[in-house]
Amino acid sequence: MLNIVLVEPEIPNNTGNIGRLCVGTGNKLHLIHPFGFQITDKNLKRSGLDYWVHLHVKEYQNIPEWTDQIPDKSRVFLFSSHAKISYYEAEFQEGDWLVFGKESVGLSQEVLDLFENHLTIPMSGLIRSYNIANSVAFVVGEARRQILLNP
C-alpha cells in the first residue's frame, strides 16, 4: 500500500474525499495535526460517505512524531508547485510516502528541508495549484499504474 500524508489539512471535504480515495485504492492515510476541522466534522463524513469506517488512518500530533516512524526516508515524496521535477519522472513503489501540504500554503520550508524528493504536478500557467484532492488522485493514479506495470 502507499502512504498518503496530509500535513495540517484545513478543509474537511478535501480530507473526506482523499480518505474515500484511499479506501478505494487500498492505501493508508496519515494526518498530521493541527487540522482546520474536527474528525467528527459532518462535512468530512459527508465527503467520505460511509467509507470512512473502512479507512486505514493514523493521526500524528506533529511532524517529528510522523518522521520518527518512517523506515526509509529516501522513499518520501513531497509535492509542491515550486518543485522542478514532475511526478511523471519519479519511480514509485509499494510503501512510498506521498506528502501533501495544507490547502492554503502547501508544505512549509521546514518540512521541505527534511526530505530530498520534491515533485510537482505539471499545470498551465493560468493557475497556482490544483485542489489537493485532485492532486492526490493524480499522483495515486500514476503511482498505482507504475506499481501494476512493475510488480
Side-chain angles (χ1 to χ4, degrees):
M1 86 176 42
L2 295 167
N3 294 286
I4 311 306
V5 181
L6 303 183
V7 178
E8 301 179 3
E10 299 170 310
I11 301 174
N13 302 43
N14 288 333
T15 302
N17 282 319
I18 293 165
R20 184 176 178 178
L21 175 71
C22 286
V23 171
T25 55
N27 298 313
K28 184 173 183 178
L29 181 61
H30 302 262
L31 302 172
I32 302 173
H33 285 268
F35 304 158
F37 54 88
Q38 300 291 321
I39 289 295
T40 57
D41 190 297
K42 67 179 179 178
N43 292 318
L44 175 87
K45 299 291 185 187
R46 186 178 313 126
S47 299
L49 297 174
D50 55 346
Y51 305 111
W52 196 260
V53 297
H54 303 291
L55 178 62
H56 201 76
V57 63
K58 181 162 172 92
E59 293 181 42
Y60 305 88
Q61 292 308 306
N62 53 50
I63 299 293
E65 182 183 342
W66 165 62
T67 59
D68 286 348
Q69 55 80 54
I70 298 171
D72 182 358
K73 299 202 177 14
S74 72
R75 300 310 308 169
V76 177
F77 297 89
L78 306 177
F79 291 86
S80 168
S81 60
H82 304 292
K84 303 295 182 215
I85 300 170
S86 168
Y87 77 111
Y88 291 122
E89 297 177 52
E91 293 182 12
F92 298 109
Q93 58 188 303
E94 290 289 0
D96 281 352
W97 298 80
L98 311 177
V99 184
F100 300 85
K102 63 170 84 175
E103 290 91 339
S104 62
V105 295
L107 292 167
S108 69
Q109 192 60 49
E110 172 191 1
V111 173
L112 290 168
D113 290 345
L114 294 173
F115 304 97
E116 293 182 16
N117 299 318
H118 299 187
L119 301 174
T120 191
I121 301 169
M123 64 187 125
S124 79
L126 299 175
I127 62 172
R128 287 185 306 279
S129 63
Y130 290 111
N131 171 280
I132 190 171
N134 292 337
S135 295
V136 173
F138 293 151
V139 175
V140 166
E142 173 61 14
R144 280 274 152 244
R145 183 192 70 79
Q146 288 183 19
I147 291 165
L148 287 173
L149 291 176
N150 303 303

